């Protein structure tokens, strides 16, 4: 029986050396490696020690306070470093290259700007606009224009209307008869004064418009322009538009009426010299060629205004090509103002 047990022991050793036993050892080695990785991950996620949370030790230590002498010495070294031969941190060669670069840069920019301006000035004319195909119809202005468009005064109170009379005097100075006779010519035609046949640079002639033609509103017979009598005058003038021919061959008419309220409150309205802008004053050739041009004026005299009534007045241009009812531009072809006259 003993030999049989010995044989059985040998068989057990052979079983231990079989492939199945070696795979079990490999599995145990693999599990051991994964366990080490898990332990490393746990170590990484462990909370920091109290010393690690003390951020004060990580702060930058403040520099020692410098004395005045050290500060002055640092400035002197920055301005001129005798050891490195540097001025403000740069050598002479470095400064020369910087100055050369910026000199070339700004010279190039100046030359480019000058070239653009030369091309621009060469392409446009100082006498007329290059593009003039979207000219709006003319607007209208009035005088006096002091307190917005409100004319308020008492006929018996000189101080209340004196400012208006002074404004009218200034407005009519260029229309004095002597000035007009000296600078402009007398025109009798009832058509446009065309001077397109002249060279572009030549000065254009202008027709006279004399102050004396304004009659009761000229300030010659009545220096107060009717304000002391409660019959005020206002001046209307159409805006100048270069090359514009108003009315398409027919003179532009001017009318005035009550915009809001009772129409009878305005009373009689008189126009001087007439309620038309004559064609002979058009076209306008610009201030460089039409040096002495005097735009025509229509004087309106309200001879029968009702006292102590706040009257809204609207004066407008009437003619072909004229717009006088624009909802967005109150000065396009018309002007509105208020009259409030006291005794």
């Amino acid at each position: 029986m003993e030999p049989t047990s010995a044989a059985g022991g040998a068989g057990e050793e052979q079983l231990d050396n079989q492939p199945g036993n070696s795979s079990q050892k490999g599995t145990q080695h693999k599990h051991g490696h994964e366990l080490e990785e898990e332990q490393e991950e746990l170590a990484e996620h462990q909370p920091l020690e109290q010393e690690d949370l003390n951020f004060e030790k990580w702060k930058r230590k403040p520099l020692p306070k410098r004395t005045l002498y050290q500060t002055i010495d640092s400035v002197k070294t920055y301005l001129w470093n005798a050891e490195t031969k540097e001025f403000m941190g740069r050598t002479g060669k470095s400064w020369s290259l910087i100055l050369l670069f910026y000199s070339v840069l700004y010279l190039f920019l100046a030359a480019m700007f000058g070239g653009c301006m030369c091309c621009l000035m060469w392409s446009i004319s100082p006498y007329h606009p290059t593009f003039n195909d979207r000219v709006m119809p003319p607007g209208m202005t009035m005088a006096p224009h002091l307190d917005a468009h409100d004319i308020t005064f008492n006929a018996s109170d000189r101080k209340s209307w004196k400012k208006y009379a002074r404004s009218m005097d200034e407005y009519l100075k260029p229309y004095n008869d002597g000035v007009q006779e000296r600078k402009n010519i007398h025109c009798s035609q009832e058509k446009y004064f065309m001077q397109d046949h002249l060279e572009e640079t030549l000065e254009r002639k202008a027709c006279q418009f004399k102050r004396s033609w304004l009659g009761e509103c000229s300030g010659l017979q009545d220096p107060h322009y009717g304000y002391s009598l409660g019959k005020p005058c206002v001046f209307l003038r159409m805006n100048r538009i270069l090359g514009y021919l108003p009315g398409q061959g027919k003179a532009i008419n001017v009318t005035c009426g009550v915009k809001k309220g009772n129409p009878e409150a305005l009373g009689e309205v008189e126009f001087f010299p007439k309620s038309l802008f004559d064609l002979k004053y058009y076209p306008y050739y610009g201030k460089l060629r039409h040096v002495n041009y005097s735009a025509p004026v229509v004087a309106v005299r309200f001879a029968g205004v009702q006292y102590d009534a706040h009257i809204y007045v609207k004066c407008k241009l009437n003619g072909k090509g004229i717009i006088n009812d624009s909802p967005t531009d109150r000065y396009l072809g018309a002007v509105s103002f208020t009259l409030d006259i006291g005794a």
Side-chain angles (χ1 to χ4, degrees):
M1 297 299 293
E2 289 180 0
T4 305
S5 65
E12 291 177 358
E13 290 180 359
Q14 291 176 358
L15 291 172
D16 291 339
N17 292 328
Q18 288 179 357
N21 293 334
S22 61
S23 64
Q24 291 178 358
K25 291 180 180 180
T27 304
Q28 292 176 358
H29 178 71
K30 181 178 180 181
H31 289 314
H33 182 68
E34 292 178 353
L35 183 61
E36 290 179 1
E37 290 181 353
E38 290 179 359
Q39 290 177 351
E40 289 179 0
E41 291 179 359
L42 290 174
E44 290 179 358
H45 294 286
Q46 286 181 355
L48 297 173
E49 299 294 336
Q50 187 64 30
E51 293 183 1
D52 296 330
L53 296 175
N54 185 13
F55 296 105
E56 294 295 329
K57 69 177 183 178
W58 302 105
K59 288 185 178 180
R60 184 178 179 181
K61 294 182 180 180
L63 297 175
K65 189 175 182 180
R66 304 176 68 182
T67 63
L68 179 62
Y69 175 79
Q70 290 175 332
T71 303
I72 295 175
D73 188 59
S74 299
V75 173
K76 288 181 178 179
T77 304
Y78 171 71
L79 293 176
W80 174 250
N81 193 329
E83 296 179 359
T84 60
K85 306 297 182 181
E86 293 180 350
F87 173 69
M88 298 182 70
R90 292 184 179 274
T91 62
K93 180 180 180 181
S94 177
W95 279 114
S96 301
L97 292 175
I98 289 177
L99 292 175
L100 177 63
F101 170 77
Y102 281 105
S103 298
V104 173
L105 174 64
Y106 286 116
L107 283 174
F108 172 75
L109 293 177
M112 184 174 66
F113 177 76
C116 292
M117 291 301 297
C118 288
C119 293
L120 176 64
M121 299 306 296
W122 175 78
S123 63
I124 62 176
S125 171
Y127 302 105
H128 59 82
T130 304
F131 300 102
N132 198 24
D133 57 342
R134 297 190 64 184
V135 177
M136 292 294 291
M140 190 162 60
T141 57
M142 64 165 290
H145 181 80
L146 298 176
D147 304 320
H149 286 294
D150 298 328
I151 300 177
T152 304
F153 65 94
N154 291 326
S156 59
D157 185 4
R158 179 183 176 86
K159 291 183 180 179
S160 66
W161 52 258
K162 186 177 180 180
K163 58 184 178 180
Y164 298 120
R166 187 181 297 114
S167 175
M168 306 282 263
D169 282 334
E170 291 296 324
Y171 189 86
L172 289 181
K173 277 185 177 180
Y175 296 95
N176 287 335
D177 290 11
V179 175
Q180 290 294 314
E181 291 175 358
R182 184 172 64 255
K183 294 184 177 181
N184 296 331
I185 64 173
H186 176 72
C187 302
S188 57
Q189 76 271 17
E190 297 295 334
K191 59 182 180 179
Y192 298 124
F193 189 11
M194 304 300 297
Q195 303 177 69
D196 295 336
H197 61 282
L198 300 176
E199 293 184 9
E200 186 179 49
T201 58
L202 292 180
E203 181 179 339
R204 268 54 173 175
K205 296 179 180 180
C207 295
Q208 295 177 359
F209 190 93
K210 296 183 178 180
R211 178 175 183 171
S212 58
W213 297 349
L214 298 178
E216 297 293 333
C217 293
S218 65
L220 301 176
Q221 293 90 351
D222 179 9
H224 303 149
Y225 300 93
Y227 284 84
S228 61
L229 304 175
K231 301 177 181 181
C233 291
V234 298
F235 298 143
L236 303 177
R237 187 164 62 184
M238 190 162 55
N239 292 347
R240 290 179 287 188
I241 300 177
L242 196 146
Y244 181 66
L245 300 175
Q248 300 179 11
K250 294 184 179 180
I252 298 296
N253 181 43
V254 180
T255 57
C256 293
V258 176
K259 185 177 180 180
K260 295 180 183 179
N262 184 12
E264 297 180 358
L266 192 59
E268 183 184 1
V269 179
E270 300 174 350
F271 296 91
F272 302 96
K274 51 188 175 181
S275 62
L276 299 174
F277 288 103
D278 288 331
L279 300 179
K280 61 186 176 183
Y281 297 102
Y282 304 98
Y284 172 60
Y285 287 96
K287 62 181 181 180
L288 292 180
R289 294 183 292 180
H290 241 156
V291 180
N292 299 318
Y293 178 79
S294 298
V297 175
V298 172
V300 185
R301 185 170 184 253
F302 301 98
V305 181
Q306 181 179 334
Y307 285 175
D308 301 322
H310 197 68
I311 307 172
Y312 290 88
V313 183
K314 181 177 182 179
C315 295
K316 58 184 180 179
L317 302 173
N318 304 283
K320 292 184 178 180
I322 298 296
I323 299 175
N324 54 27
D325 55 355
S326 173
T328 58
D329 190 349
R330 59 180 296 188
Y331 301 107
L332 184 60
V335 63
S336 300
F337 56 94
T338 61
L339 282 175
D340 196 346
I341 304 174

